Amino acid sequence: MLKIFNFLKNNKDETGVRKTTDQGSQIVTRIAPSPTGVLHVGTARTALFNYLYAKQNNGKFIVRIEDTDKERSTKEFEKDILDSLEWLGLDHDEFYRQSERGEIYRKYIEKLTEEGKAYISKEEAKEEGQRSEVIRFKNPNKEIIFEDLVRGEISFDTTELGDFIIAKSVDEPLYHLAVVVDDHEMGVTHIFRGEDGISNTPRQILIQDAIGAQRPKYAHLPLILGPDKSKLSKRHGATSLNAFREQGYFKEAILNHLAFLGWNPGDEREIFSLEELIKDFDIKKVSKGGAVFNIEKLDWFNKHYLENLNDEEILKVAKERIKEKMKSSVADYNEEIISKLIPLIRERIEKFSDLDKLIEEGEFDYYFKEPILSEPEKLIWKKSDKEKTTQHLEKVKEIISENEEKNNPDEAKELLWNYAEEVGKGDVLWPTRYALSGRDKSPDPFTLISILGKEKTLQRIINAIDKLNGNN
Ligand code: GLU
C-alpha cells in the first residue's frame, strides 16, 4: 500500500540537493502529522482539504509522518493516524517518515553551513555536560511578504526572529529545516495547514530562499472551535477520529462535516460525497474564521446517511452490536426479531452507538425475552379492574389466535381496533401492550405484535392472564 518515493538522481546538484528549476507543473499537497497523539479532527480536516485540492487537480497527496521528536513520537500514534486516514478514504500517493530521512537533511545542513547561510554556534552550556553547540540560520533580516489563499497578503519583518536554530547538529535537524527540505524535495506546491502555522511561515520562507527552493502556495485554515467559540478541546467532547469511529458514525458523515469546517459551496447544498467534494471544493472559498465543530450538526449528517442506508446494511451492524451486547444479558439472540426491528432502529438512532445505549438500557430486552411481569397489577388500566382486564386479554387472545400472523403494525391495528373502540381503548390496548413489553413505556401494542409474531404474542398474553389471576 505504501509507495516509497524514488529519488530522481538527475534533478540533484553535485551536493545531492534538489534543483529548483524542474519543479514540474503537477500539484502536490501533503499532510504532515506528528505522531505525538491520535488523529485529531483538526488534522483530519487539514488532510481532507489537501486531499481534495490534489485530487481535483490530478495531483498527488502525500502523507509525511513528522517523527523527529523521538521522545514524544510513538508507533501506536502513527498507526492510529494512518488507520484513521485510511478509514476516511483519504488515500495517499506517497508516504514518508522524517526519521528515515536523516541523510537528506544532513546534506542540506552541510550545504547551508558551507555557503555561510548557517553556522555552528557555540552556546553557553546552561548546565554542565549539556551540549554547547547548535546550528543557527544566518538571518538576512529581510521583509517577507507571502500570499495566503485564505487570508490574502501577509507580511513579516523577520529581524525579530534573530539567527534561529535550525538543527542541534548535522544529524539532528529541527522542525523548520526538516519541513522545508521535505516540501522542496517532494515537490510540494501547496501547503494547507492550520492557522497556527502562520507564525512558522516566515522562518520557513527564509530557509526556502536559502536552499533555493520554490515557494509553495499557502492557505492557513481557520482554527476549529467548539460551539462556545473557544478552541475545540476535549472539554467539548470527543475530538479524535477514532472516538467518532467507535461511536459508529459513518465516514461519509464525518467527511461531510469536516468539509464544512471553514468551507461551504455558497448555496443551500449540504450533502456532499467525497467525489462531489472533489468536484466542488474551492480553497478560495475557505473562510478566515467560523469553523465551529457542532456535534448536533454531525448527528444531523449521520442521520441523513443512516436514512439512506438500505435495510441489509443496518441489519448487518444491528446483528453485530446486538449479539455483542447480549452476551452479558439474559435475553435470547433472535435474528428474525432483529430484522423486524429495523424500522424502529432507524427511527430511534442517529448513530450506531445509540443502539448500544438502547440495548444497555434494556430498551430492547422484551423483544428477545418474555417479560417477567413482577407487578401484574400494572396490567390494569386506570379505572378498570382485574376481571375486566382478564376479559379483554382473553378477547385479544381469541382475536389473534383466530387470525393469521400480522407482520406490520397497521394490519395488527385493524385486528384489534374495533373491539378496543367498542369497550374502551385504554382498557384493551394498555394491558395488551404491557403484557407484551412488561414496561411502562414501549412502542404501541400493534408494533409489538408485528415484531413478536403470533406465537410469542399469544404466549405473553396467556402468561399475563395467568399472572394477573395468580396462577403462576
Ligand atoms: N508536523 C507539523 C504539525 O503537526 C506540520 C505542520 C505543517 O503542516 O507544516 O503541526
Side-chain angles (χ1 to χ4, degrees):
M1 184 195 73
L2 308 178
K3 290 182 206 150
I4 304 299
F5 190 65
N6 288 317
F7 288 108
L8 300 166
K9 292 274 179 319
N10 59 1
N11 74 1
K12 310 273 163 173
D13 71 10
E14 62 288 349
T15 63
V17 308
R18 190 182 203 270
K19 284 190 262 181
T20 326
T21 42
D22 51 3
Q23 194 86 339
S25 56
Q26 191 185 28
I27 300 286
V28 181
T29 67
R30 55 34 166 211
I31 180 76
S34 303
T36 52
V38 293
L39 188 70
H40 183 268
V41 288
T43 315
R45 190 267 316 254
T46 305
L48 174 63
F49 285 16
N50 277 291
Y51 173 88
L52 294 176
Y53 192 76
K55 295 298 140 186
Q56 63 187 200
N57 288 294
N58 289 319
K60 273 194 300 194
F61 171 62
I62 293 176
V63 171
R64 183 171 76 222
I65 297 291
E66 305 211 318
D67 54 354
T68 46
D69 183 344
K70 292 191 189 70
E71 265 137 53
R72 292 173 57 230
S73 299
T74 73
K75 280 285 166 197
E76 288 72 31
F77 289 141
E78 178 184 306
K79 184 171 184 317
D80 175 88
I81 292 167
L82 295 177
D83 286 352
S84 296
L85 289 174
E86 190 184 335
W87 178 70
L88 286 172
L90 303 180
D91 301 333
H92 52 259
D93 301 296
E94 287 171 13
F95 175 80
Y96 303 93
R97 257 182 218 105
Q98 286 190 328
S99 58
E100 292 162 0
R101 298 169 56 78
E103 244 178 80
I104 300 167
Y105 308 127
R106 173 192 261 265
K107 279 185 195 143
Y108 280 88
I109 296 169
E110 281 171 350
K111 187 159 193 266
L112 285 171
T113 37
E114 273 159 27
E115 291 173 356
K117 292 173 179 166
Y119 59 92
I120 297 170
S121 162
K122 299 245 181 272
E123 311 281 310
E124 213 175 294
K126 288 199 186 77
E127 276 171 41
E128 218 180 311
Q130 261 193 353
R131 182 200 311 279
S132 61
E133 265 181 22
V134 293
I135 297 168
R136 285 186 180 272
F137 181 75
K138 192 157 175 17
N139 188 340
N141 298 328
K142 56 185 179 184
E143 193 190 18
I144 297 276
I145 300 175
F146 70 96
E147 186 68 22
D148 188 288
L149 295 171
V150 172
R151 277 146 220 278
E153 198 175 277
I154 298 179
S155 66
F156 266 94
D157 177 2
T158 61
T159 314
E160 65 196 59
L161 302 175
D163 287 355
F164 53 90
I165 305 174
I166 53 170
K168 290 197 232 164
S169 73
V170 282
D171 293 316
E172 295 167 286
L174 292 181
Y175 164 66
H176 294 298
L177 187 278
V179 164
V180 173
V181 167
D182 281 343
D183 287 336
H184 173 55
E185 285 278 333
M186 295 166 194
V188 171
T189 56
H190 291 73
I191 295 179
F192 302 163
R193 59 186 176 192
E195 69 176 41
D196 47 351
I198 295 178
S199 61
N200 293 330
T201 311
R203 283 186 190 81
Q204 294 178 2
I205 289 178
L206 287 176
I207 302 173
Q208 279 160 19
D209 291 352
I211 67 171
Q214 234 173 48
R215 188 181 299 179
K217 295 218 165 33
Y218 288 96
H220 287 95
L221 311 174
L223 198 67
I224 299 181
L225 309 174
D228 61 356
K229 307 283 156 68
S230 70
K231 187 178 169 189
L232 185 71
S233 72
K234 290 214 177 94
R235 212 161 36 81
H236 296 106
T239 56
S240 69
L241 244 286
N242 62 30
F244 291 109
R245 185 177 168 185
E246 273 165 24
Q247 285 174 42
Y249 283 97
F250 299 119
K251 66 174 182 212
E252 291 82 358
I254 294 178
L255 286 168
N256 206 151
H257 188 239
L258 289 175
F260 276 74
L261 294 174
W263 172 82
N264 71 70
D267 55 36
E268 299 294 295
R269 289 173 300 157
E270 294 199 277
I271 301 299
F272 284 83
S273 66
L274 191 57
E275 288 67 38
E276 287 164 336
L277 286 171
I278 292 174
K279 203 166 127 280
D280 289 337
F281 173 76
D282 183 353
I283 188 68
K284 295 201 191 75
K285 283 203 188 133
V286 172
S287 60
K288 285 189 209 133
V292 176
F293 189 93
N294 194 336
I295 194 76
E296 281 151 26
K297 191 72 197 178
L298 176 60
D299 284 346
W300 181 84
F301 279 120
N302 211 70
K303 185 88 187 171
H304 168 85
Y305 288 99
L306 190 71
E307 276 162 5
N308 282 283
L309 216 58
N310 63 36
D311 283 357
E312 285 75 58
E313 286 171 287
I314 295 195
L315 183 62
K316 193 171 141 250
V317 180
K319 273 190 201 164
E320 274 166 24
R321 293 199 171 228
I322 291 176
K323 195 173 211 165
E324 178 60 36
K325 291 282 160 194
M326 281 201 172
K327 278 191 202 145
S328 52
S329 110
V330 284
D332 302 318
Y333 181 75
N334 180 325
E335 291 200 357
E336 201 189 325
I337 298 262
I338 297 177
S339 59
K340 289 189 187 170
L341 283 173
I342 300 302
L344 211 84
I345 292 175
R346 256 186 209 287
E347 196 184 294
R348 296 201 57 188
I349 68 169
E350 262 152 0
K351 51 189 180 294
F352 282 122
S353 62
D354 296 343
L355 179 59
D356 297 346
K357 222 186 284 160
L358 289 173
I359 302 165
E360 270 161 28
E361 285 165 1
E363 291 276 350
F364 284 162
D365 280 2
Y366 51 82
Y367 293 113
F368 301 96
K369 186 92 189 162
E370 191 163 316
I372 298 168
L373 303 184
S374 52
E375 297 169 278
E377 63 284 358
K378 281 198 166 177
L379 287 157
I380 302 167
W381 173 249
K382 291 186 181 166
K383 288 197 191 110
S384 190
D385 57 37
K386 197 168 103 178
E387 283 66 39
K388 277 194 212 143
T389 304
T390 306
Q391 205 185 316
H392 296 319
L393 285 173
E394 288 284 0
K395 183 70 186 173
V396 169
K397 183 183 104 184
E398 193 187 307
I399 297 173
I400 288 179
S401 66
E402 279 171 5
N403 284 279
E404 58 186 45
E405 180 155 294
K406 300 296 177 203
N407 284 321
N408 83 60
D410 288 340
E411 286 177 11
K413 186 173 175 179
E414 260 174 50
L415 279 187
L416 301 181
W417 196 247
N418 285 346
Y419 176 66
E421 277 212 309
E422 200 181 295
V423 298
K425 276 182 262 178
D427 294 297
V428 177
L429 302 181
W430 172 272
T432 305
R433 194 191 62 69
Y434 195 86
L436 299 179
S437 72
R439 288 196 143 219
D440 293 341
K441 285 197 187 113
S442 72
D444 64 75
F446 317 119
T447 301
L448 296 176
I449 291 169
S450 69
I451 292 173
L452 291 169
K454 186 167 171 174
E455 198 190 312
K456 287 199 171 65
T457 301
L458 285 174
Q459 240 168 42
R460 291 183 187 197
I461 291 184
I462 293 167
N463 179 46
I465 296 169
D466 285 348
K467 280 270 166 66
L468 192 59
N469 292 284
N471 293 343
N472 63 12

